[in-house]
C-alpha cells in the first residue's frame, strides 16, 4: 500500500515537472527569438534539466508499480546515475542563472560584449560534462557502489554513503556558498546604485528620470533570492539527513530520506519553472500569448466543424434592430 502511494506521488510529481518545464521552455524559445538575449539560454537550460529530472523519475514510477521487480545491480546504478546527473544539471543551471544576473548588475555596459553565443555554449557544454561526472562517478569508481539488499532501485541501495558525503562537500555546500556570495554582492552593488541616485536627486540633476537601472537590479535580486531560498529549503534537509546517515547508520531511517526528503528535493525542479514564470513578466506574457493562441485554434477548429454537421447558421440581428 505504501509503495502504491509513493508511486502515485512520484507519477503526479513527474507529470507536473515535465509539463511545467516544457511550457516554460516553449515560452523561453519564443522570447529568445524575439529578444535575442543570450542570457536566456541559461534559464532555458534550467528548464531542460528540470524536465529531464521528471523523465528520470518516470522510470522509478514504473518500478513502484511493477513489484515484485528485482533489477540487476548495474541497471540500478545506471538509472540512479541518470537521476543524479539530471539533478546536478538543475543545480548547476541555477548557479549559471545567478552568475548571469550578477554579471548583468556588476557590468551592465559590458554585459552584451561578455555574454556571447560562443561563451554561453562553452559554459553549457561544461555544465553538462560536470553533471555527468557527478552522476556517473559511482559507475567509474566502484568504491562508491554498494551491494543492494533491496528490491527496488534507490540511492542508498546502490550508492555508498561516502558518495553522498562527497557530493555534499564538493557539490552542495560550494553551490550554496556561491549563491550567498552572489546575492550579498548584488545587494552591495544595488545599495551603491541607490546611494548614487539619491546624491544625483539631491543635487537636482535627476530631471525626473525614473531609476530604471535600479529597478532592474531589484528584480534580478528578487529572482536570485527566491531561487536561493527554494534551492536551500528543497535540498538542504536531504543532504543533512544523508550526512547523518553516513556518520551514524542507525540514527536516521534511510526510508525517510528516500521516500520523503528526496521527494522534497525533486520538488525544486517543479518550483523553478513556476517561480520563474511568476516573477518574470516577459515569460509570463509569452505563456499568456501561448495560451491565447491555443484557445483560438481550438475554438476555430470547433467552429469549422459545426457547419459540416448539417447545422444551419442562425440569422444575425443587429443591435439597432433590437432597439427598434
Amino acid at each position: 500500500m505504501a509503495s502504491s502511494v509513493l508511486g502515485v506521488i512520484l507519477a503526479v510529481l513527474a507529470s507536473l515537472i515535465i509539463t511545467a518545464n516544457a511550457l516554460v521552455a516553449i515560452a523561453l524559445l519564443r522570447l529568445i527569438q524575439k529578444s535575442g538575449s543570450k542570457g536566456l539560454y541559461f534559464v532555458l537550460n534550467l528548464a531542460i534539466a528540470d524536465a529531464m529530472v521528471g523523465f528520470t523519475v518516470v522510470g522509478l514510477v514504473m518500478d513502484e508499480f511493477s513489484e515484485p521487480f528485482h533489477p540487476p545491480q548495474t541497471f540500478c546504478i545506471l538509472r540512479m546515475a541518470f537521476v543524479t546527473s539530471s539533478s546536478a544539471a538543475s543545480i548547476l543551471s541555477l548557479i549559471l542563472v545567478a552568475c548571469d544576473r550578477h554579471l548583468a548588475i556588476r557590468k551592465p555596459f559590458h554585459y552584451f560584449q561578455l555574454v556571447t553565443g560562443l561563451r554561453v555554449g562553452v559554459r553549457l557544454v561544461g555544465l553538462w560534462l560536470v553533471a555527468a561526472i557527478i552522476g556517473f562517478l559511482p559507475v567509474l569508481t566502484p568504491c562508491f557502489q554498494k551491494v543492494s539488499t533491496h528490491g527496488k532501485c534507490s540511492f542508498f541501495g546502490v550508492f555508498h554513503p561516502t558518495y553522498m558525503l562527497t557530493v555534499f562537500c564538493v557539490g552542495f555546500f560550494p553551490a550554496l556558498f556561491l549563491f550567498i556570495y552572489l546575492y550579498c554582492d548584488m545587494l552591495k552593488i544595488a545599495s551603491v546604485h541607490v546611494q548614487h541616485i539619491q546624491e544625483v536627486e539631491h543635487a537636482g540633476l535627476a530631471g525626473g528620470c525614473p531609476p530604471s537601472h535600479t529597478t532592474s537590479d531589484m528584480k534580478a535580486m528578487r529572482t536570485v533570492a527566491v531561487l536561493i531560498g527554494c534551492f536551500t529549503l528543497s535540498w538542504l534537509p536531504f543532504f543533512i539527513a544523508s550526512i547523518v546517515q553516513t556518520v551514524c547508520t542507525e540514527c536516521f531511517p534511510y526510508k525517510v530520506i528516500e521516500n520523503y526528503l528526496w521527494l522534497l528535493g525533486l520538488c525544486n525542479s517543479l518550483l523553478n519553472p513556476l517561480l520563474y514564470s511568476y516573477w518574470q513578466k516577459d515569460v509570463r506574457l509569452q505563456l499568456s500569448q501561448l495560451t491565447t493562441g491555443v484557445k483560438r485554434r481550438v475554438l476555430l477548429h470547433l467552429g469549422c466543424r459545426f457547419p459540416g454537421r448539417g447545422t444551419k447558421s442562425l440569422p444575425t440581428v443587429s443591435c439597432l434592430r433590437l432597439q427598434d
Side-chain angles (χ1 to χ4, degrees):
M1 181 64 182
S3 178
S4 299
V5 173
L6 180 61
V8 171
I9 294 175
L10 284 174
V12 173
L13 185 60
S15 302
L16 292 175
I17 289 174
I18 295 172
T19 304
N21 284 284
L23 290 175
V24 172
I26 294 173
L28 287 169
L29 284 173
R30 290 162 57 96
L31 190 59
I32 289 172
Q33 289 178 352
K34 291 183 178 180
S35 65
S37 176
K38 300 297 187 297
L40 289 175
Y41 282 105
F42 297 129
V43 188
L44 177 62
N45 188 76
L46 174 62
I48 294 174
D50 286 332
M52 287 188 61
V53 172
F55 281 113
T56 55
V57 173
V58 172
L60 301 179
V61 174
M62 296 173 62
D63 290 351
E64 295 293 337
F65 288 107
S66 60
E67 290 188 349
F69 180 65
H70 303 284
Q73 178 77 6
T74 305
F75 177 82
C76 279
I77 292 176
L78 290 175
R79 170 169 288 182
M80 299 314 297
F82 276 108
V83 175
T84 308
S85 298
S86 302
S87 300
S90 175
I91 296 175
L92 293 174
S93 298
L94 281 174
I95 295 176
L96 280 186
V97 171
C99 291
D100 178 70
R101 293 298 86 205
H102 175 264
L103 182 63
I105 293 177
R106 175 167 282 278
K107 296 183 178 180
F109 300 108
H110 304 282
Y111 174 77
F112 291 102
Q113 287 80 14
L114 294 174
V115 183
T116 61
L118 178 61
R119 292 179 178 177
V120 170
V122 170
R123 291 172 185 174
L124 293 180
V125 171
L127 180 148
W128 284 102
L129 286 177
V130 173
I133 291 174
I134 294 175
F136 287 87
L137 189 60
V139 180
L140 304 174
T141 309
C143 64
F144 286 146
Q145 301 177 13
K146 188 175 71 171
V147 178
S148 177
T149 57
H150 307 89
K152 301 182 301 182
C153 295
S154 61
F155 274 104
F156 291 96
V158 296
F159 292 159
H160 198 273
T162 55
Y163 171 69
M164 302 303 300
L165 181 62
T166 303
V167 172
F168 181 75
C169 295
V170 177
F172 179 79
F173 253 141
L176 183 59
F177 286 142
L178 181 59
F179 273 137
I180 295 174
Y181 165 75
L182 292 175
Y183 185 70
C184 292
D185 195 45
M186 283 192 290
L187 273 177
K188 183 176 67 174
I189 297 171
S191 63
V192 172
H193 289 169
V194 171
Q195 184 180 0
H196 178 68
I197 290 174
Q198 290 176 350
E199 292 176 355
V200 172
E201 290 179 347
H202 182 71
L205 301 176
C209 297
S212 58
H213 187 64
T214 303
T215 303
S216 63
D217 290 353
M218 292 302 176
K219 289 182 180 180
M221 288 170 50
R222 182 182 61 185
T223 302
V224 174
V226 172
L227 292 177
I228 292 173
C230 293
F231 167 76
T232 305
L233 293 177
S234 299
W235 284 111
L236 187 61
F238 171 76
F239 279 105
I240 290 179
S242 300
I243 294 302
V244 175
Q245 177 74 14
T246 303
V247 177
C248 179
T249 56
E250 303 296 332
C251 296
F252 208 96
Y254 77 92
K255 285 291 185 182
V256 176
I257 305 176
E258 292 182 347
N259 295 347
Y260 300 103
L261 299 183
W262 182 63
L263 285 178
L264 183 62
L266 291 180
C267 287
N268 189 53
S269 295
L270 177 61
L271 290 175
N272 288 334
L274 296 179
L275 292 172
Y276 205 87
S277 60
Y278 177 77
W279 288 110
Q280 295 297 317
K281 183 179 179 181
D282 294 335
V283 178
R284 191 167 64 247
L285 179 61
Q286 291 297 322
L287 288 174
S288 177
Q289 293 177 356
L290 184 63
T291 305
T292 304
V294 172
K295 283 184 179 179
R296 186 181 295 112
R297 289 185 180 182
V298 171
L299 293 176
L300 189 62
H301 183 66
L302 294 176
C304 291
R305 282 186 174 184
F306 289 151
R309 294 180 180 177
T311 59
K312 297 181 178 180
S313 59
L314 296 176
T316 58
V317 182
S318 65
C319 296
L320 294 176
R321 187 177 299 176
L322 288 174
Q323 290 178 359
D324 293 338

